[in-house]
Amino acid sequence: TDADLQTSGLTYAGGSSNGMGYSLGTALEYQSTPRVFLGARFEIDRSEYYTPNFMAVYARYMFDTHASPISFPPDPVEPYSRY
């Protein structure tokens, strides 16, 4: 909010970096009864200054019986929001 500082033309030049990152994830689902599915999901992301993990265990109930095979890869429950 200082007009003198805003008109001075001072900038930050920034920098450069070289880095490597990796990500790994898996999901499993098991149909225990014709209506109940049990599942788990795990994700890990790694890079410089960024190391989040995510894990979920869930149970899904179908109101209609489900006789067909489980989809592959499974369709796990997705979180509404993360970190």
Side-chain angles (χ1 to χ4, degrees):
T1 61
D2 187 341
D4 292 333
L5 290 176
Q6 292 177 3
T7 59
S8 67
L10 295 174
T11 61
Y12 176 69
S16 64
S17 68
N18 294 329
M20 184 175 160
Y22 63 90
S23 180
L24 175 69
T26 187
L28 302 169
E29 196 165 85
Y30 174 73
Q31 185 174 3
S32 61
T33 70
R35 294 179 186 227
V36 176
F37 294 80
L38 304 174
R41 181 176 167 200
F42 177 74
E43 292 179 15
I44 185 170
D45 292 315
R46 291 288 183 265
S47 66
E48 189 174 357
Y49 306 115
Y50 185 72
T51 56
N53 299 325
F54 173 76
M55 182 176 166
V57 177
Y58 61 91
R60 185 187 323 227
Y61 180 81
M62 304 290 263
F63 290 102
D64 294 325
T65 57
H66 190 78
S68 62
I70 298 173
S71 63
F72 183 80
D75 185 22
V77 176
E78 293 285 334
Y80 289 116
S81 173
R82 291 170 52 176
Y83 27 97

